[in-house]
Amino acid sequence: MFFEGSEKKLEIIVNASAPKLRSLDRTFWLKLVAASNADILSSISNEYCDAYLLSESSLFVWDDRIVMLTCGASTLAESACYCIEHLGEQAIAYVCYQRKNEYYAHLQASSFSDDVLRLRHFIAGQAYRMGHLDSHHHYIFTTDKHYQASRLDTTNELLMYHISGTVADYLRGDQQSTIQISQMLQLEQLFNGFSVDQHLFSPLGYSINGIRGTEYFTIHITPQENSSYVSVETNIDISSTQVDIFAELVRLLQPNSFDIIGFNSHIANKPFPHYLCLSHCAMTIEQGFNIHFSHYQQNGLEVLSPTLL
Amino acid sequence: MFFEGSEKKLEIIVNASAPKLRSLDRTFWLKLVAASNADILSSISNEYCDAYLLSESSLFVWDDRIVMLTCGASTLAESACYCIEHLGEQAIAYVCYQRKNEYYAHLQASSFSDDVLRLRHFIAGQAYRMGHLDSHHHYIFTTDKHYQASRLDTTNELLMYHISGTVADYLRGDQQSTIQISQMLQLEQLFNGFSVDQHLFSPLGYSINGIRGTEYFTIHITPQENSSYVSVETNIDISSTQVDIFAELVRLLQPNSFDIIGFNSHIANKPFPHYLCLSHCAMTIEQGFNIHFSHYQQNGLEVLSPTLL
């Protein structure tokens, strides 16, 4: 029943001189996704963005950038290489490649070091680890090129591990519907006015993409007992919403631990009731992103049973 | 500068009908150690025990049992298989094979699952994981055979990660001596009356074996910044010593986190000042061992800098 829910993530921003990404033909996107060993399941579009739901997570395409997340043992660095090679290194303004904390790193097709070696065949960049190796940590590769991000270019990621409670039980049950899941997660209240595209996986798993103008959110749930994982990512400024989106999702999904990763975000080191922030790591890169990583854990002793293997 | 300090551990107990293990010739031990890709560096002996210091940790041999620890990317499961095959499965009363929390699981020659598959070619047994996959955890394989351990057959293991302070700085320095290290660790006070065998590794690292009658202790230090690890293991009843040995070593080495593993031990869930016990897992196996695993972390937010890779 093991499935590695935790994602690799890729963001590529192109120069003004590059072709508009949304004008590229479907073959390009099929090949880009195939390079990660994933498939396109469905898509939604609005004036600004095409949002693809993938067999392994999501791809969002705007005219000047893509954001792609892939879980499992997918090979997202290959999609990055394919994209840079196809568009030409000159067309690229900025690349950010991330790997989130994995349950079973040894089952991956490559290590982060392998990925960085591969990426550096195509583009120069710096690689960092945020957080201790033996605890939750986050890997990030960013390009060296001259690029200046807007301070308003924000992304917030919430990565929850070992979910519990009523919603988690429902997600592990036999009978599920996308309507029921989005209701239980209060997604209409949390992400009001978004067009959404949802998918239930067999035997377990749920994905949703949402877009509203240039904004997006995406949620991926791997509910499997002992290795459950839920990721939430959005480019809306969650510090200014009426409802505290991340606090609400943590309350609903009751993870044993979670990480928050922010780019130009205002929620670093935020207190969460019943959780301790165990470690925090931040850096500002030349390209105008302040990046922070915080690891939270339920406050109090957790008494575990041994897992028979 | 990375070295995986965390060990695999093997304990094999033989039946009364088996040959006395200390009577086996040196070739047997050389081959057993070579199966793990390790070498014997030196040894000390007393009436009951031969203690070998290895290039990758330690081997202790009594007439009825062995305890072997190997670090790095060593292949200790192969030593287990060699021993069982050579002595004959009939001669074996009990086998326990453990893998401690690793920094870089993907650099190991095998996963724990691989090791269990291999061991099961030679002997039947149960495999468990204690602790969540994404936090500190411990793997353990124990044989199914009828065997009854004495309640006095105790082992205590203290595994420290990310050490800091004066002693840690000394251990990372250019000038070191075994005398100075054992003085800084107060080993004469903590393990009084033990004969010891110590070794300094190049460029860094320290190992010590100590024996006193049938008792042993062993300490292995990998001080490397960002991946430091110190293991302490002994079969003395540390709940009845004058000095609280583990508390003292934690105070001296100031780890960011540590795990305690006990077999028929009385120190499960012990409070340590300035540390939180985040998780605890215990089980009693038919062979008469109560096994517990506890994971501790420094109380308070740790602010980390990103590590440039």
Side-chain angles (χ1 to χ4, degrees), chain A residues 2 101-106 111-114 120 126-137 139 161-162 226-227 256-257 269 276-283 295 297-309, chain B residues 2 101-106 111-114 120 126-137 139 161-162 226-227 256-257 269 276-283 295 297-309:
Chain A
F2 177 76
N101 201 67
E102 286 147 4
Y103 279 111
Y104 274 132
H106 69 279
S111 68
F112 179 72
S113 306
D114 299 333
R120 284 182 174 153
Q126 301 300 315
Y128 303 90
R129 189 187 66 245
M130 304 177 89
H132 282 315
L133 271 180
D134 62 317
S135 181
H136 282 216
H137 55 275
Y139 288 112
Y161 296 79
H162 306 294
N226 294 322
S227 57
N256 170 255
S257 64
N269 250 324
L276 295 170
C277 185
L278 291 178
S279 65
H280 176 70
C281 185
M283 63 175 174
H295 171 50
Q297 169 111 17
Q298 259 177 17
N299 194 350
L301 173 67
E302 188 181 23
V303 177
L304 293 162
S305 298
T307 303
L308 185 65
L309 302 176
Chain B
F2 178 76
N101 201 67
E102 286 148 2
Y103 279 110
Y104 274 132
H106 69 278
S111 68
F112 180 71
S113 306
D114 299 333
R120 284 183 174 152
Q126 302 300 315
Y128 304 90
R129 187 187 67 243
M130 305 178 88
H132 282 315
L133 270 179
D134 62 315
S135 178
H136 281 214
H137 56 273
Y139 288 112
Y161 296 79
H162 304 294
N226 293 323
S227 58
N256 170 255
S257 64
N269 251 323
L276 296 170
C277 185
L278 291 179
S279 66
H280 176 69
C281 184
M283 65 176 172
H295 171 50
Q297 170 111 14
Q298 261 177 17
N299 194 350
L301 173 67
E302 189 182 23
V303 177
L304 292 163
S305 297
T307 304
L308 185 66
L309 301 176

Side-chain angles (χ1 to χ4, degrees), chain A:
Chain A
M1 281 292 278
F2 177 76
F3 183 82
E4 186 74 69
S6 80
E7 295 102 353
K8 301 156 192 85
K9 180 189 162 188
L10 173 67
E11 179 162 15
I12 298 183
I13 303 176
V14 295
N15 290 320
S17 59
K20 288 188 173 168
L21 294 175
R22 295 178 81 204
S23 71
L24 297 175
D25 67 22
R26 193 169 166 84
T27 315
F28 176 77
W29 300 112
L30 286 171
K31 284 189 179 168
L32 180 99
V33 167
S36 287
N37 288 317
D39 296 306
I40 295 173
L41 299 178
S42 57
S43 65
I44 50 173
S45 290
N46 67 14
E47 197 185 337
Y48 304 98
C49 181
D50 301 322
Y52 299 90
L53 209 56
L54 307 182
S55 55
E56 259 87 6
S57 308
S58 292
L59 166 66
F60 295 89
V61 183
W62 297 263
D63 276 336
D64 71 335
R65 69 180 67 196
I66 68 167
V67 167
M68 185 170 173
L69 292 90
T70 65
C71 59
S74 58
T75 51
L76 183 59
E78 294 306 315
S79 293
C81 296
Y82 172 80
C83 189
I84 299 164
E85 194 171 30
H86 192 93
L87 298 177
E89 198 264 355
Q90 305 278 316
I92 307 296
Y94 173 74
V95 176
C96 181
Y97 173 75
Q98 300 166 249
R99 267 176 86 150
K100 295 164 188 184
N101 201 67
E102 286 147 4
Y103 279 111
Y104 274 132
H106 69 279
L107 297 184
Q108 292 294 311
S110 62
S111 68
F112 179 72
S113 306
D114 299 333
D115 294 347
V116 169
L117 278 178
R118 186 87 180 106
L119 289 166
R120 284 182 174 153
H121 279 292
F122 296 88
I123 202 156
Q126 301 300 315
Y128 303 90
R129 189 187 66 245
M130 304 177 89
H132 282 315
L133 271 180
D134 62 317
S135 181
H136 282 216
H137 55 275
H138 187 68
Y139 288 112
I140 190 160
F141 168 90
T142 61
T143 45
D144 292 334
K145 292 191 164 208
H146 184 70
Y147 171 74
Q148 200 56 43
S150 154
R151 292 199 60 187
L152 301 174
D153 186 351
T154 185
T155 309
N156 287 287
E157 308 172 10
L158 168 64
L159 318 171
M160 292 176 272
Y161 296 79
H162 306 294
I163 56 170
S164 59
T166 318
V167 183
D169 290 344
Y170 178 80
L171 290 162
R172 290 181 189 124
D174 290 338
Q175 298 286 329
Q176 294 173 41
S177 72
T178 55
I179 292 170
Q180 183 68 15
I181 293 172
S182 60
Q183 276 178 1
M184 288 181 106
L185 294 174
Q186 305 178 5
L187 297 183
E188 264 189 51
Q189 292 79 57
L190 299 180
F191 297 99
N192 192 251
F194 278 77
S195 308
V196 300
D197 185 14
Q198 304 175 76
H199 190 84
L200 265 178
F201 290 85
S202 175
L204 292 171
Y206 168 81
S207 288
I208 183 169
N209 284 343
I211 50 176
R212 182 180 69 184
T214 59
E215 296 173 325
Y216 75 98
F217 80 89
T218 184
I219 299 178
H220 299 279
I221 302 180
T222 304
Q224 275 83 338
E225 196 87 50
N226 294 322
S227 57
S228 61
Y229 173 80
V230 176
S231 73
V232 183
E233 170 164 334
T234 183
N235 64 350
I236 68 175
D237 176 8
I238 63 166
S239 66
S240 66
T241 55
Q242 248 186 329
V243 187
D244 186 336
I245 297 173
F246 281 9
E248 199 57 20
L249 289 166
V250 165
R251 192 184 65 75
L252 288 165
L253 289 162
Q254 299 174 38
N256 170 255
S257 64
F258 62 89
D259 301 333
I260 289 182
I261 299 164
F263 291 75
N264 292 345
S265 156
H266 301 286
I267 61 154
N269 250 324
K270 182 176 153 4
F272 282 80
H274 316 302
Y275 289 87
L276 295 170
C277 185
L278 291 178
S279 65
H280 176 70
C281 185
M283 63 175 174
T284 299
I285 62 170
E286 279 175 24
Q287 290 74 19
F289 287 108
N290 174 263
I291 306 169
H292 71 80
F293 168 84
S294 299
H295 171 50
Y296 294 80
Q297 169 111 17
Q298 259 177 17
N299 194 350
L301 173 67
E302 188 181 23
V303 177
L304 293 162
S305 298
T307 303
L308 185 65
L309 302 176

Side-chain angles (χ1 to χ4, degrees), chain B residues 28-301:
Chain B
F28 176 78
W29 300 113
L30 287 171
K31 286 189 178 168
L32 179 100
V33 168
S36 287
N37 289 319
D39 296 305
I40 295 174
L41 299 178
S42 57
S43 66
I44 50 172
S45 291
N46 67 14
E47 199 184 335
Y48 304 98
C49 181
D50 301 323
Y52 299 90
L53 210 56
L54 307 182
S55 54
E56 259 87 8
S57 307
S58 292
L59 167 66
F60 295 88
V61 183
W62 296 263
D63 277 335
D64 71 335
R65 69 180 66 196
I66 69 166
V67 167
M68 185 170 173
L69 293 91
T70 65
C71 60
S74 57
T75 52
L76 184 59
E78 294 305 315
S79 294
C81 297
Y82 173 81
C83 189
I84 299 164
E85 192 171 31
H86 192 93
L87 298 176
E89 197 265 356
Q90 304 278 316
I92 307 297
Y94 173 75
V95 176
C96 181
Y97 173 74
Q98 301 165 248
R99 268 176 85 152
K100 295 164 189 184
N101 201 67
E102 286 148 2
Y103 279 110
Y104 274 132
H106 69 278
L107 298 183
Q108 291 294 311
S110 62
S111 68
F112 180 71
S113 306
D114 299 333
D115 293 348
V116 169
L117 277 178
R118 186 86 180 108
L119 288 166
R120 284 183 174 152
H121 278 292
F122 295 89
I123 202 156
Q126 302 300 315
Y128 304 90
R129 187 187 67 243
M130 305 178 88
H132 282 315
L133 270 179
D134 62 315
S135 178
H136 281 214
H137 56 273
H138 187 68
Y139 288 112
I140 190 160
F141 168 90
T142 60
T143 45
D144 292 334
K145 291 192 164 206
H146 184 72
Y147 171 74
Q148 202 54 46
S150 155
R151 293 198 59 183
L152 301 175
D153 187 351
T154 185
T155 310
N156 287 286
E157 307 172 12
L158 168 64
L159 318 171
M160 293 175 272
Y161 296 79
H162 304 294
I163 56 170
S164 59
T166 317
V167 182
D169 290 344
Y170 178 81
L171 289 162
R172 292 181 188 124
D174 289 338
Q175 296 287 328
Q176 294 172 40
S177 73
T178 55
I179 291 169
Q180 183 69 15
I181 293 171
S182 60
Q183 275 177 3
M184 288 181 107
L185 294 174
Q186 305 178 6
L187 297 182
E188 265 189 52
Q189 292 79 58
L190 299 180
F191 297 101
N192 192 251
F194 279 75
S195 307
V196 300
D197 185 13
Q198 304 175 76
H199 190 85
L200 266 179
F201 291 85
S202 175
L204 293 171
Y206 169 81
S207 288
I208 182 169
N209 284 342
I211 50 176
R212 182 181 69 185
T214 59
E215 297 172 326
Y216 75 98
F217 80 90
T218 184
I219 299 178
H220 299 279
I221 302 180
T222 304
Q224 274 84 340
E225 197 88 49
N226 293 323
S227 58
S228 62
Y229 173 80
V230 176
S231 73
V232 184
E233 170 164 334
T234 182
N235 65 348
I236 69 175
D237 176 8
I238 63 166
S239 65
S240 66
T241 54
Q242 249 186 326
V243 187
D244 186 336
I245 296 173
F246 281 8
E248 199 57 22
L249 288 166
V250 165
R251 192 182 64 77
L252 288 165
L253 288 163
Q254 298 174 39
N256 170 255
S257 64
F258 63 89
D259 302 332
I260 289 182
I261 299 165
F263 292 76
N264 293 343
S265 155
H266 302 286
I267 60 153
N269 251 323
K270 183 176 153 2
F272 282 81
H274 317 301
Y275 288 86
L276 296 170
C277 185
L278 291 179
S279 66
H280 176 69
C281 184
M283 65 176 172
T284 300
I285 61 170
E286 279 175 23
Q287 290 74 18
F289 287 108
N290 174 263
I291 305 170
H292 71 81
F293 168 83
S294 300
H295 171 50
Y296 294 81
Q297 170 111 14
Q298 261 177 17
N299 194 350
L301 173 67

